[in-house]
Amino acid sequence: MVDSSSPEPTAGPGAPLPAAGGGAPTRARRPPSGPTGAAGGPGNPDRLLLRTGTASQLALGALLALAPLIHAGQLGRSSALLIAGLLLGLPHGAVDHLVPAWLSTAARPWSARVALLVVYAAVAGAGLAAFRAAPDWALVGFLVVSVVHFGTADVAFHAERDRRPIRPGVPVVLAYGGPPVVVPLALWRDQVDPLLAAVAPGAPALLTVEVRTLALTAVLCAVAVTAIRDIRAGRARDAGQPVLLVGLFSAVPPPVAIGAYFAAWHSCRHVARLLRHDPQNTLDLASGRLGPPLRRFARQAAAPTVVAVAALTALVTWSGHRTDPLPATVAVLAALTLPHAVLVAWTDRREPGPPRPPL
């Protein structure tokens, strides 16, 4: 997303303007706002994204403050909280099939939408097949894709919030995408390796101590570089975000930290962006109404989420997975992540245009 145009001066929202030559007054044109349709311009952060970012920081900050109680209650020993967080965050990718039509008229015909669903399902199926054929390397690949996806998602979120171009450099992507993946792998081996082994028995051996140490060093250097750049750019508040993520994944057991991050940080931020991308939400968000867009999103995401959960349930209840649902859960989420990450990357590269009318 790139910077939005500055609002045009009017006597009020939709106020009539005198026509040239003394003719009948004309209706004020709604100010252009870039691809999401929310009013504002450079230097005027989007309110929805600003509040969502603050809420996600407060949620994870509170969890970090509760780390001693989490350890005392031994809440990190069960994968139940991890699975719960992953399932709560599942709807954030449930409207992927609608996003291209929101951003491009070429994707609005039914034939284009059906083709998208077919390709999406095929890529997800290929990912699931990879987990069946070579689970060890598939899991390692999934971890790498997760780092890139998480990192670029936060870069795009901040750029769209501030109405500036999306420029995902390696340090900032690693600073935001590295902590949720690399820090648990490096600092919580006793807890993480059994989870990895449950999904892919040979994966822990592929991630040697040297690989994990090198990856952690790269992440910490990227966090330092990103924080310094944010402070120099006048974004001191953002500078603390990757530091918060490192602290969270260092102090809170991985099942709790990863589940909370996925649900309260990554998914919530993505849903906030989706609300702004949907042209039907333009007027509601411009008027400060969040209820109708949320209800609209819930309706749009309901059926795909039910299908995904049904597929997951079928895998879990299959005789080979009855004892531990984690392998099937991770395999399904990894398979869905592949086309989702590609679609989000395409979304972030879209050039803005004039405000789009409702579909």
Side-chain angles (χ1 to χ4, degrees):
M1 306 298 166
V2 299
D3 295 325
S4 306
S5 302
S6 300
E8 299 176 359
T10 65
L17 295 178
T26 60
R27 200 74 176 171
R29 183 170 61 88
R30 183 166 58 85
S33 56
T36 59
N44 182 20
D46 178 83
R47 290 176 298 174
L48 173 61
L49 298 188
L50 184 63
R51 292 172 180 174
T52 302
T54 300
S56 62
Q57 285 180 263
L58 291 175
L60 296 195
L63 185 63
L64 177 58
L66 294 174
L69 295 179
I70 294 174
H71 285 285
Q74 298 184 343
L75 298 179
R77 293 184 176 275
S78 171
S79 61
L81 292 175
L82 171 60
I83 294 175
L86 296 178
L87 292 178
L88 285 174
L90 193 60
H92 88 279
V95 299
D96 282 352
H97 60 293
L98 301 177
V99 174
W102 293 346
L103 302 178
S104 173
T105 55
R108 293 182 182 180
W110 279 107
S111 57
R113 300 190 187 196
V114 171
L116 172 66
L117 288 174
V118 171
V119 173
Y120 198 99
V123 175
L128 194 58
F131 264 87
R132 297 279 189 180
D136 301 337
W137 287 106
L139 181 58
V140 172
F142 170 58
L143 295 176
V144 174
V145 170
S146 297
V147 169
V148 176
H149 178 58
F150 290 155
T152 54
D154 273 324
V155 172
F157 177 86
H158 292 145
E160 190 171 331
R161 178 202 63 191
D162 298 337
R163 308 177 196 279
R164 52 187 169 85
I166 298 176
R167 293 170 180 166
V170 172
V172 67
V173 170
L174 193 56
Y176 280 97
V181 178
V182 175
V183 173
L185 286 173
L187 301 185
W188 295 88
R189 293 195 61 177
D190 291 344
Q191 290 198 28
V192 171
D193 282 5
L195 297 177
L196 295 178
V199 178
L206 294 175
L207 300 169
T208 63
V209 175
E210 293 77 12
V211 169
R212 301 185 200 213
T213 302
L214 180 61
L216 179 61
T217 301
V219 168
L220 295 180
C221 290
V223 168
V225 170
T226 301
I228 292 172
R229 288 179 177 177
D230 280 337
I231 292 173
R232 289 178 175 176
R235 297 189 296 267
R237 191 174 183 181
D238 286 349
Q241 294 192 31
V243 177
L244 169 62
L245 293 178
V246 171
L248 175 75
F249 288 100
S250 299
V252 177
V256 181
I258 295 173
Y261 166 83
F262 190 72
W265 184 288
H266 177 71
S267 299
C268 282
R269 291 181 171 208
H270 187 70
V271 168
R273 293 185 67 203
L274 290 174
L275 296 182
R276 300 181 73 246
H277 292 172
D278 186 350
Q280 297 183 74
N281 296 334
T282 298
L283 296 179
D284 286 323
L285 294 179
S287 301
R289 295 189 297 268
L290 186 57
L294 285 175
R295 289 192 291 271
R296 188 174 293 117
F297 174 80
R299 291 194 298 269
Q300 294 165 338
T305 301
V306 168
V307 171
V309 172
L312 177 60
T313 302
L315 286 174
V316 170
T317 55
W318 181 53
S319 59
H321 296 291
R322 283 178 183 169
T323 57
D324 187 1
L326 184 62
T329 302
V330 173
V332 170
L333 290 177
L336 294 175
T337 295
L338 291 177
H340 171 69
V342 171
L343 183 61
V344 172
W346 173 84
T347 300
D348 294 341
R349 293 177 63 87
R350 290 288 301 170
E351 291 294 332
R356 296 177 304 279
L359 301 180

